[in-house]
mmCIF file of all heavy atoms in Angstrom:
data_model
loop_
_atom_site.group_PDB
_atom_site.id
_atom_site.type_symbol
_atom_site.label_atom_id
_atom_site.label_comp_id
_atom_site.label_asym_id
_atom_site.label_seq_id
_atom_site.Cartn_x
_atom_site.Cartn_y
_atom_site.Cartn_z
ATOM 1 N N GLY O 207 0.791 -1.223 0.000
ATOM 2 C CA GLY O 207 0.000 0.000 0.000
ATOM 3 C C GLY O 207 0.823 1.271 0.000
ATOM 4 O O GLY O 207 1.970 1.297 -0.465
ATOM 5 N N ALA O 208 0.227 2.324 0.543
ATOM 6 C CA ALA O 208 0.864 3.640 0.535
ATOM 7 C C ALA O 208 2.200 3.626 1.270
ATOM 8 O O ALA O 208 3.151 4.283 0.848
ATOM 9 C CB ALA O 208 -0.067 4.673 1.161
ATOM 10 N N ARG O 209 2.267 2.845 2.338
ATOM 11 C CA ARG O 209 3.517 2.773 3.110
ATOM 12 C C ARG O 209 4.672 2.332 2.213
ATOM 13 O O ARG O 209 5.740 2.956 2.193
ATOM 14 C CB ARG O 209 3.337 1.806 4.279
ATOM 15 C CG ARG O 209 4.532 1.653 5.160
ATOM 16 C CD ARG O 209 4.257 0.714 6.345
ATOM 17 N NE ARG O 209 3.421 -0.429 6.038
ATOM 18 C CZ ARG O 209 3.860 -1.581 5.521
ATOM 19 N NH1 ARG O 209 5.136 -1.725 5.250
ATOM 20 N NH2 ARG O 209 3.026 -2.569 5.283
ATOM 21 N N GLY O 210 4.455 1.277 1.443
ATOM 22 C CA GLY O 210 5.509 0.773 0.566
ATOM 23 C C GLY O 210 5.789 1.678 -0.612
ATOM 24 O O GLY O 210 6.945 1.847 -1.009
ATOM 25 N N MET O 211 4.737 2.272 -1.167
ATOM 26 C CA MET O 211 4.921 3.138 -2.330
ATOM 27 C C MET O 211 5.697 4.403 -1.968
ATOM 28 O O MET O 211 6.568 4.849 -2.721
ATOM 29 C CB MET O 211 3.572 3.511 -2.957
ATOM 30 C CG MET O 211 2.779 2.341 -3.513
ATOM 31 S SD MET O 211 3.568 1.529 -4.931
ATOM 32 C CE MET O 211 4.342 0.133 -4.146
ATOM 33 N N VAL O 212 5.402 4.977 -0.805
ATOM 34 C CA VAL O 212 6.127 6.171 -0.358
ATOM 35 C C VAL O 212 7.579 5.810 -0.037
ATOM 36 O O VAL O 212 8.493 6.577 -0.345
ATOM 37 C CB VAL O 212 5.425 6.817 0.854
ATOM 38 C CG1 VAL O 212 6.301 7.899 1.492
ATOM 39 C CG2 VAL O 212 4.074 7.399 0.430
ATOM 40 N N LYS O 213 7.793 4.635 0.523
ATOM 41 C CA LYS O 213 9.158 4.195 0.827
ATOM 42 C C LYS O 213 9.970 4.064 -0.457
ATOM 43 O O LYS O 213 11.112 4.520 -0.529
ATOM 44 C CB LYS O 213 9.111 2.858 1.582
ATOM 45 C CG LYS O 213 10.470 2.245 1.856
ATOM 46 C CD LYS O 213 11.269 3.050 2.844
ATOM 47 C CE LYS O 213 12.555 2.301 3.195
ATOM 48 N NZ LYS O 213 13.596 3.187 3.646
ATOM 49 N N VAL O 214 9.374 3.453 -1.488
ATOM 50 C CA VAL O 214 10.083 3.307 -2.763
ATOM 51 C C VAL O 214 10.298 4.670 -3.412
ATOM 52 O O VAL O 214 11.404 4.999 -3.844
ATOM 53 C CB VAL O 214 9.309 2.381 -3.732
ATOM 54 C CG1 VAL O 214 9.921 2.417 -5.122
ATOM 55 C CG2 VAL O 214 9.278 0.967 -3.204
ATOM 56 N N ALA O 215 9.240 5.458 -3.478
ATOM 57 C CA ALA O 215 9.299 6.729 -4.211
ATOM 58 C C ALA O 215 10.289 7.716 -3.611
ATOM 59 O O ALA O 215 11.059 8.344 -4.339
ATOM 60 C CB ALA O 215 7.909 7.364 -4.273
ATOM 61 N N LEU O 216 10.257 7.841 -2.287
ATOM 62 C CA LEU O 216 11.051 8.898 -1.655
ATOM 63 C C LEU O 216 11.975 8.387 -0.555
ATOM 64 O O LEU O 216 12.581 9.192 0.163
ATOM 65 C CB LEU O 216 10.125 9.976 -1.082
ATOM 66 C CG LEU O 216 9.207 10.663 -2.081
ATOM 67 C CD1 LEU O 216 8.277 11.634 -1.367
ATOM 68 C CD2 LEU O 216 10.013 11.374 -3.155
ATOM 69 N N ASP O 217 12.068 7.076 -0.395
ATOM 70 C CA ASP O 217 12.870 6.477 0.665
ATOM 71 C C ASP O 217 12.484 7.060 2.021
ATOM 72 O O ASP O 217 13.338 7.395 2.848
ATOM 73 C CB ASP O 217 14.369 6.650 0.396
ATOM 74 C CG ASP O 217 15.202 5.721 1.264
ATOM 75 O OD1 ASP O 217 14.679 4.663 1.681
ATOM 76 O OD2 ASP O 217 16.370 6.061 1.536
ATOM 77 N N LEU O 218 11.171 7.187 2.231
ATOM 78 C CA LEU O 218 10.637 7.768 3.454
ATOM 79 C C LEU O 218 9.902 6.674 4.225
ATOM 80 O O LEU O 218 8.895 6.148 3.751
ATOM 81 C CB LEU O 218 9.686 8.916 3.099
ATOM 82 C CG LEU O 218 9.261 9.857 4.203
ATOM 83 C CD1 LEU O 218 10.463 10.657 4.721
ATOM 84 C CD2 LEU O 218 8.195 10.805 3.689
ATOM 85 N N ALA O 219 10.407 6.328 5.393
ATOM 86 C CA ALA O 219 9.828 5.264 6.206
ATOM 87 C C ALA O 219 8.610 5.773 6.983
ATOM 88 O O ALA O 219 8.467 6.977 7.223
ATOM 89 C CB ALA O 219 10.864 4.714 7.167
ATOM 90 N N ALA O 220 7.767 4.840 7.384
ATOM 91 C CA ALA O 220 6.527 5.174 8.088
ATOM 92 C C ALA O 220 6.772 5.864 9.423
ATOM 93 O O ALA O 220 5.894 6.578 9.915
ATOM 94 C CB ALA O 220 5.692 3.918 8.290
ATOM 95 N N ASP O 221 7.944 5.690 10.014
ATOM 96 C CA ASP O 221 8.224 6.341 11.291
ATOM 97 C C ASP O 221 8.827 7.741 11.138
ATOM 98 O O ASP O 221 9.106 8.422 12.125
ATOM 99 C CB ASP O 221 9.111 5.455 12.166
ATOM 100 C CG ASP O 221 10.467 5.155 11.527
ATOM 101 O OD1 ASP O 221 10.704 5.544 10.365
ATOM 102 O OD2 ASP O 221 11.291 4.516 12.212
ATOM 103 N N HIS O 222 9.017 8.188 9.907
ATOM 104 C CA HIS O 222 9.555 9.536 9.669
ATOM 105 C C HIS O 222 8.469 10.563 9.985
ATOM 106 O O HIS O 222 7.303 10.365 9.660
ATOM 107 C CB HIS O 222 10.007 9.666 8.209
ATOM 108 C CG HIS O 222 10.784 10.906 7.941
ATOM 109 N ND1 HIS O 222 10.184 12.133 7.767
ATOM 110 C CD2 HIS O 222 12.132 11.109 7.830
ATOM 111 C CE1 HIS O 222 11.115 13.044 7.545
ATOM 112 N NE2 HIS O 222 12.297 12.446 7.582
ATOM 113 N N PRO O 223 8.821 11.696 10.611
ATOM 114 C CA PRO O 223 7.807 12.703 10.973
ATOM 115 C C PRO O 223 7.021 13.261 9.773
ATOM 116 O O PRO O 223 5.868 13.662 9.926
ATOM 117 C CB PRO O 223 8.598 13.818 11.666
ATOM 118 C CG PRO O 223 10.005 13.368 11.753
ATOM 119 C CD PRO O 223 10.153 12.052 11.078
ATOM 120 N N ASP O 224 7.635 13.273 8.584
ATOM 121 C CA ASP O 224 6.943 13.788 7.405
ATOM 122 C C ASP O 224 6.056 12.740 6.729
ATOM 123 O O ASP O 224 5.312 13.063 5.799
ATOM 124 C CB ASP O 224 7.960 14.296 6.368
ATOM 125 C CG ASP O 224 8.719 15.512 6.859
ATOM 126 O OD1 ASP O 224 8.213 16.220 7.759
ATOM 127 O OD2 ASP O 224 9.840 15.740 6.346
ATOM 128 N N PHE O 225 6.153 11.502 7.185
ATOM 129 C CA PHE O 225 5.438 10.428 6.494
ATOM 130 C C PHE O 225 3.927 10.645 6.401
ATOM 131 O O PHE O 225 3.365 10.484 5.306
ATOM 132 C CB PHE O 225 5.725 9.060 7.128
ATOM 133 C CG PHE O 225 4.988 7.954 6.434
ATOM 134 C CD1 PHE O 225 5.494 7.402 5.266
ATOM 135 C CD2 PHE O 225 3.784 7.494 6.919
ATOM 136 C CE1 PHE O 225 4.804 6.400 4.598
ATOM 137 C CE2 PHE O 225 3.081 6.489 6.270
ATOM 138 C CZ PHE O 225 3.598 5.939 5.107
ATOM 139 N N PRO O 226 3.226 11.004 7.470
ATOM 140 C CA PRO O 226 1.768 11.151 7.345
ATOM 141 C C PRO O 226 1.343 12.138 6.247
ATOM 142 O O PRO O 226 0.428 11.853 5.471
ATOM 143 C CB PRO O 226 1.318 11.625 8.724
ATOM 144 C CG PRO O 226 2.373 11.093 9.652
ATOM 145 C CD PRO O 226 3.660 11.190 8.863
ATOM 146 N N ALA O 227 2.005 13.269 6.149
ATOM 147 C CA ALA O 227 1.656 14.256 5.126
ATOM 148 C C ALA O 227 1.972 13.730 3.725
ATOM 149 O O ALA O 227 1.184 13.906 2.784
ATOM 150 C CB ALA O 227 2.385 15.573 5.376
ATOM 151 N N VAL O 228 3.099 13.068 3.579
ATOM 152 C CA VAL O 228 3.484 12.535 2.271
ATOM 153 C C VAL O 228 2.564 11.379 1.887
ATOM 154 O O VAL O 228 2.158 11.250 0.738
ATOM 155 C CB VAL O 228 4.965 12.121 2.250
ATOM 156 C CG1 VAL O 228 5.330 11.465 0.935
ATOM 157 C CG2 VAL O 228 5.853 13.338 2.501
ATOM 158 N N ARG O 229 2.210 10.543 2.860
ATOM 159 C CA ARG O 229 1.265 9.454 2.594
ATOM 160 C C ARG O 229 -0.063 10.024 2.101
ATOM 161 O O ARG O 229 -0.640 9.537 1.128
ATOM 162 C CB ARG O 229 1.043 8.611 3.851
ATOM 163 C CG ARG O 229 0.007 7.497 3.635
ATOM 164 C CD ARG O 229 -0.653 7.038 4.912
ATOM 165 N NE ARG O 229 -1.254 8.162 5.601
ATOM 166 C CZ ARG O 229 -1.201 8.349 6.914
ATOM 167 N NH1 ARG O 229 -0.562 7.509 7.691
ATOM 168 N NH2 ARG O 229 -1.777 9.403 7.457
ATOM 169 N N ASP O 230 -0.552 11.061 2.764
ATOM 170 C CA ASP O 230 -1.814 11.680 2.347
ATOM 171 C C ASP O 230 -1.703 12.262 0.938
ATOM 172 O O ASP O 230 -2.644 12.172 0.142
ATOM 173 C CB ASP O 230 -2.240 12.751 3.347
ATOM 174 C CG ASP O 230 -2.662 12.156 4.693
ATOM 175 O OD1 ASP O 230 -2.832 10.916 4.794
ATOM 176 O OD2 ASP O 230 -2.803 12.932 5.660
ATOM 177 N N GLU O 231 -0.555 12.849 0.633
ATOM 178 C CA GLU O 231 -0.330 13.366 -0.722
ATOM 179 C C GLU O 231 -0.336 12.217 -1.732
ATOM 180 O O GLU O 231 -0.932 12.318 -2.809
ATOM 181 C CB GLU O 231 0.997 14.121 -0.790
ATOM 182 C CG GLU O 231 1.294 14.669 -2.178
ATOM 183 C CD GLU O 231 2.685 15.275 -2.293
ATOM 184 O OE1 GLU O 231 3.370 15.490 -1.261
ATOM 185 O OE2 GLU O 231 3.101 15.528 -3.455
ATOM 186 N N PHE O 232 0.340 11.121 -1.393
ATOM 187 C CA PHE O 232 0.348 9.952 -2.274
ATOM 188 C C PHE O 232 -1.071 9.449 -2.508
ATOM 189 O O PHE O 232 -1.463 9.181 -3.652
ATOM 190 C CB PHE O 232 1.209 8.827 -1.679
ATOM 191 C CG PHE O 232 1.046 7.543 -2.428
ATOM 192 C CD1 PHE O 232 1.764 7.308 -3.593
ATOM 193 C CD2 PHE O 232 0.144 6.576 -2.007
ATOM 194 C CE1 PHE O 232 1.587 6.144 -4.321
ATOM 195 C CE2 PHE O 232 -0.036 5.402 -2.721
ATOM 196 C CZ PHE O 232 0.692 5.187 -3.881
ATOM 197 N N LEU O 233 -1.854 9.316 -1.444
ATOM 198 C CA LEU O 233 -3.222 8.801 -1.580
ATOM 199 C C LEU O 233 -4.089 9.724 -2.430
ATOM 200 O O LEU O 233 -4.907 9.253 -3.230
ATOM 201 C CB LEU O 233 -3.841 8.576 -0.199
ATOM 202 C CG LEU O 233 -3.233 7.423 0.598
ATOM 203 C CD1 LEU O 233 -3.781 7.411 2.022
ATOM 204 C CD2 LEU O 233 -3.477 6.094 -0.094
ATOM 205 N N ALA O 234 -3.910 11.026 -2.282
ATOM 206 C CA ALA O 234 -4.665 11.969 -3.119
ATOM 207 C C ALA O 234 -4.268 11.818 -4.585
ATOM 208 O O ALA O 234 -5.122 11.828 -5.484
ATOM 209 C CB ALA O 234 -4.425 13.401 -2.639
ATOM 210 N N ARG O 235 -2.994 11.663 -4.832
ATOM 211 C CA ARG O 235 -2.526 11.466 -6.215
ATOM 212 C C ARG O 235 -3.041 10.137 -6.767
ATOM 213 O O ARG O 235 -3.453 10.058 -7.923
ATOM 214 C CB ARG O 235 -0.997 11.532 -6.284
ATOM 215 C CG ARG O 235 -0.449 12.925 -6.044
ATOM 216 C CD ARG O 235 1.073 12.955 -6.092
ATOM 217 N NE ARG O 235 1.587 14.265 -5.795
ATOM 218 C CZ ARG O 235 1.590 15.291 -6.642
ATOM 219 N NH1 ARG O 235 1.103 15.136 -7.865
ATOM 220 N NH2 ARG O 235 2.074 16.461 -6.290
ATOM 221 N N TYR O 236 -3.017 9.095 -5.947
ATOM 222 C CA TYR O 236 -3.513 7.796 -6.393
ATOM 223 C C TYR O 236 -5.016 7.868 -6.690
ATOM 224 O O TYR O 236 -5.477 7.386 -7.721
ATOM 225 C CB TYR O 236 -3.229 6.714 -5.342
ATOM 226 C CG TYR O 236 -3.882 5.410 -5.690
ATOM 227 C CD1 TYR O 236 -3.495 4.687 -6.820
ATOM 228 C CD2 TYR O 236 -4.918 4.899 -4.915
ATOM 229 C CE1 TYR O 236 -4.110 3.500 -7.159
ATOM 230 C CE2 TYR O 236 -5.538 3.712 -5.253
ATOM 231 C CZ TYR O 236 -5.137 3.020 -6.367
ATOM 232 O OH TYR O 236 -5.756 1.850 -6.718
ATOM 233 N N GLN O 237 -5.760 8.498 -5.805
ATOM 234 C CA GLN O 237 -7.215 8.598 -6.013
ATOM 235 C C GLN O 237 -7.540 9.331 -7.313
ATOM 236 O O GLN O 237 -8.473 8.954 -8.022
ATOM 237 C CB GLN O 237 -7.869 9.301 -4.831
ATOM 238 C CG GLN O 237 -9.388 9.271 -4.897
ATOM 239 C CD GLN O 237 -10.011 9.711 -3.592
ATOM 240 O OE1 GLN O 237 -9.509 10.614 -2.930
ATOM 241 N NE2 GLN O 237 -11.091 9.068 -3.220
ATOM 242 N N ALA O 238 -6.765 10.325 -7.653
ATOM 243 C CA ALA O 238 -7.000 11.090 -8.879
ATOM 244 C C ALA O 238 -6.697 10.283 -10.139
ATOM 245 O O ALA O 238 -7.205 10.599 -11.213
ATOM 246 C CB ALA O 238 -6.155 12.370 -8.859
ATOM 247 N N ARG O 239 -5.912 9.221 -10.016
ATOM 248 C CA ARG O 239 -5.500 8.481 -11.211
ATOM 249 C C ARG O 239 -5.780 6.982 -11.111
ATOM 250 O O ARG O 239 -5.370 6.218 -11.969
ATOM 251 C CB ARG O 239 -4.012 8.698 -11.477
ATOM 252 C CG ARG O 239 -3.097 8.124 -10.402
ATOM 253 C CD ARG O 239 -1.639 8.047 -10.785
ATOM 254 N NE ARG O 239 -1.445 7.149 -11.892
ATOM 255 C CZ ARG O 239 -0.720 7.433 -12.980
ATOM 256 N NH1 ARG O 239 -0.084 8.576 -13.076
ATOM 257 N NH2 ARG O 239 -0.592 6.571 -13.955
ATOM 258 N N MET O 240 -6.478 6.528 -10.089
ATOM 259 C CA MET O 240 -6.540 5.106 -9.780
ATOM 260 C C MET O 240 -7.191 4.217 -10.835
ATOM 261 O O MET O 240 -7.080 2.993 -10.754
ATOM 262 C CB MET O 240 -7.196 4.867 -8.425
ATOM 263 C CG MET O 240 -8.655 5.131 -8.364
ATOM 264 S SD MET O 240 -9.208 4.815 -6.681
ATOM 265 C CE MET O 240 -10.888 5.326 -6.865
ATOM 266 N N THR O 241 -7.815 4.809 -11.820
ATOM 267 C CA THR O 241 -8.402 3.975 -12.882
ATOM 268 C C THR O 241 -7.801 4.291 -14.255
ATOM 269 O O THR O 241 -8.323 3.846 -15.272
ATOM 270 C CB THR O 241 -9.932 4.146 -12.931
ATOM 271 O OG1 THR O 241 -10.236 5.524 -13.155
ATOM 272 C CG2 THR O 241 -10.575 3.682 -11.635
ATOM 273 N N ARG O 242 -6.726 5.021 -14.261
ATOM 274 C CA ARG O 242 -6.090 5.383 -15.522
ATOM 275 C C ARG O 242 -5.497 4.161 -16.227
ATOM 276 O O ARG O 242 -5.673 3.986 -17.432
ATOM 277 C CB ARG O 242 -4.997 6.423 -15.254
ATOM 278 C CG ARG O 242 -4.742 7.338 -16.420
ATOM 279 C CD ARG O 242 -3.691 8.376 -16.106
ATOM 280 N NE ARG O 242 -4.191 9.390 -15.190
ATOM 281 C CZ ARG O 242 -3.429 10.331 -14.652
ATOM 282 N NH1 ARG O 242 -2.143 10.392 -14.907
ATOM 283 N NH2 ARG O 242 -3.952 11.216 -13.837
ATOM 284 N N GLU O 243 -4.791 3.323 -15.469
ATOM 285 C CA GLU O 243 -4.127 2.162 -16.063
ATOM 286 C C GLU O 243 -4.509 0.836 -15.395
ATOM 287 O O GLU O 243 -4.066 -0.224 -15.834
ATOM 288 C CB GLU O 243 -2.607 2.335 -15.979
ATOM 289 C CG GLU O 243 -2.085 3.534 -16.762
ATOM 290 C CD GLU O 243 -0.592 3.681 -16.592
ATOM 291 O OE1 GLU O 243 0.137 2.879 -17.214
ATOM 292 O OE2 GLU O 243 -0.173 4.576 -15.831
ATOM 293 N N THR O 244 -5.297 0.882 -14.356
ATOM 294 C CA THR O 244 -5.710 -0.322 -13.639
ATOM 295 C C THR O 244 -6.662 -1.141 -14.495
ATOM 296 O O THR O 244 -7.582 -0.596 -15.102
ATOM 297 C CB THR O 244 -6.376 0.052 -12.301
ATOM 298 O OG1 THR O 244 -5.389 0.665 -11.465
ATOM 299 C CG2 THR O 244 -6.948 -1.159 -11.594
ATOM 300 N N VAL O 245 -6.419 -2.447 -14.537
ATOM 301 C CA VAL O 245 -7.249 -3.347 -15.348
ATOM 302 C C VAL O 245 -7.552 -4.621 -14.575
ATOM 303 O O VAL O 245 -6.829 -4.998 -13.651
ATOM 304 C CB VAL O 245 -6.558 -3.728 -16.683
ATOM 305 C CG1 VAL O 245 -6.356 -2.507 -17.569
ATOM 306 C CG2 VAL O 245 -5.238 -4.437 -16.435
ATOM 307 N N VAL O 246 -8.620 -5.290 -14.990
ATOM 308 C CA VAL O 246 -8.921 -6.620 -14.486
ATOM 309 C C VAL O 246 -7.982 -7.582 -15.207
ATOM 310 O O VAL O 246 -7.809 -7.492 -16.422
ATOM 311 C CB VAL O 246 -10.389 -7.002 -14.782
ATOM 312 C CG1 VAL O 246 -10.680 -8.414 -14.292
ATOM 313 C CG2 VAL O 246 -11.343 -6.000 -14.157
#
C-alpha cells in the first residue's frame, strides 16, 4: 500500500515525521489516477 509506495518513491519510512503528510499526498494522487491504467 501507501507505506511501501512512499518508501520506494522517496525512501521515506513510516516512522519519519513527514510520512503522514506525504502518505496523504500519495493517496490523493492515487485517487485522482486510480483507474487510468488499472485493469482486471
Side-chain angles (χ1 to χ4, degrees):
R209 181 178 38 84
M211 297 294 99
V212 169
K213 175 68 174 155
V214 171
L216 301 176
D217 196 25
L218 194 66
D221 61 355
H222 190 281
D224 294 337
F225 180 82
V228 175
R229 177 204 55 221
D230 291 349
E231 179 187 348
F232 170 83
L233 291 172
R235 290 179 183 283
Y236 173 65
Q237 188 168 37
R239 65 167 296 132
M240 71 181 176
T241 58
R242 208 178 288 173
E243 297 178 75
T244 295
V245 296
V246 178

